Amino acid sequence: MLHVLTPQGSKAIDAACIAQGISAADLMATAAGNASDVIRQRVAHGACLLIACGGGNNGGDGFAMAHLLADTFQVTVVTDADPETMSAEAREHARIARDRVRVVDWTELDPKAEFDVVIDALIGVGGSARLREPLPERLRILNAFNALRVAVDVPTGLDALTGLVHEDAFRAHLTITMEGPKAGFYAVKARPVVGEIVVVGIGAPEVITAGYAVAQIIETNDVPRLLPDRPLNVSKFDLG
């Protein structure tokens, strides 16, 4: 069963985990590690990856994925994030990434370069459909690459609560989202932007995530548990 979350619920889950003694650094490391596993399962070893990282914790996830994936793929990070404004855990992953992968500024990124996968880690669950330059221009560059496009948690330019979408929003083929899909993913205009949804954990106890869910989505493996047991020799005439 998937727990549908709002942006506020996602932030509350983080806070509740930290209150229980799970550090913000551990939450980010677990999220990035699980998201990286999804990439490894779906992308051929040796592929060229471009990861666009912002200055928030979504960017921290991206930096962490960059150095975690460096042994398997050819990774380039594009960013203009200021380390001085980043959280301590995001700043540490950015530092490690700069030692392990190629990191370029947006002015150095060649729009004609070839990448197999483009990963959006610019703005996460706190973003909206109201974008200001240079973000729309950067998203147009990312969307123009002939590559598998993957969003980390939420595609940049999508409001994860309302489902409103900026016209230049990152158009993901796959969204790897944390703990549960976001309510805005199911708005009609959001579906082409979100693409396939894969949920990964951040290390939060299930009871915490469930406590902040606004809805649940029943999955195939939930059905046997929800349906009552019935003898094999009954028919519709016996049960009505």
Side-chain angles (χ1 to χ4, degrees):
M1 185 174 293
L2 297 178
H3 300 297
V4 180
L5 304 172
T6 64
Q8 294 77 11
S10 294
K11 294 175 183 178
I13 289 169
D14 287 348
C17 288
I18 292 170
Q20 286 199 4
I22 306 172
S23 70
D26 285 344
L27 293 173
M28 182 173 288
T30 301
N34 288 335
S36 296
D37 286 343
V38 175
I39 299 297
R40 292 190 189 96
Q41 292 162 9
R42 292 178 175 239
V43 180
H45 287 197
C48 294
L49 275 57
L50 174 67
I51 306 179
C53 294
N57 281 348
N58 191 246
D61 291 340
F63 281 117
M65 291 176 66
H67 68 75
L68 289 171
L69 294 170
D71 290 339
T72 309
F73 305 101
Q74 301 176 56
V75 181
T76 297
V77 170
V78 58
T79 187
D80 64 356
D82 180 0
E84 296 303 315
T85 65
M86 300 171 73
S87 67
E89 56 273 15
R91 183 166 58 249
E92 177 63 10
H93 286 299
R95 182 192 66 77
I96 297 171
R98 288 182 181 278
D99 289 339
R100 300 202 61 191
V101 305
R102 178 172 176 254
V103 179
V104 300
D105 187 83
W106 283 95
T107 60
E108 302 173 284
L109 180 64
D110 181 3
K112 296 182 180 180
E114 294 186 0
F115 296 100
D116 300 298
V117 183
V118 172
I119 299 176
D120 164 30
L122 289 171
I123 300 178
V125 74
S128 75
R130 298 186 300 275
L131 300 179
R132 293 180 294 181
E133 293 294 353
L135 261 178
E137 179 185 2
R138 292 173 178 177
L139 291 169
R140 288 193 291 271
I141 293 172
L142 297 181
N143 284 328
F145 285 115
N146 182 24
L148 173 68
R149 295 189 297 275
V150 180
V152 177
D153 204 17
V154 178
T156 300
L158 168 66
D159 188 309
L161 176 63
T162 65
L164 293 175
V165 178
H166 189 279
E167 62 180 354
D168 294 312
F170 186 78
R171 296 192 169 273
H173 299 114
L174 169 68
T175 295
I176 305 173
T177 196
M178 312 308 177
E179 285 301 304
K182 309 308 181 279
F185 288 1
Y186 299 100
V188 173
K189 292 185 178 179
R191 296 304 299 135
V193 172
V194 174
E196 181 187 355
I197 300 169
V198 173
V199 176
V200 297
I202 64 171
E206 199 274 340
V207 66
I208 290 180
T209 301
Y212 289 102
V214 294
Q216 281 77 33
I217 296 175
I218 295 173
E219 299 180 284
T220 301
N221 57 2
D222 294 314
V223 175
R225 178 175 56 83
L226 296 173
L227 289 177
D229 289 331
R230 290 177 174 175
L232 295 177
N233 63 339
V234 300
S235 71
K236 64 183 179 181
F237 299 106
D238 298 307
L239 299 172

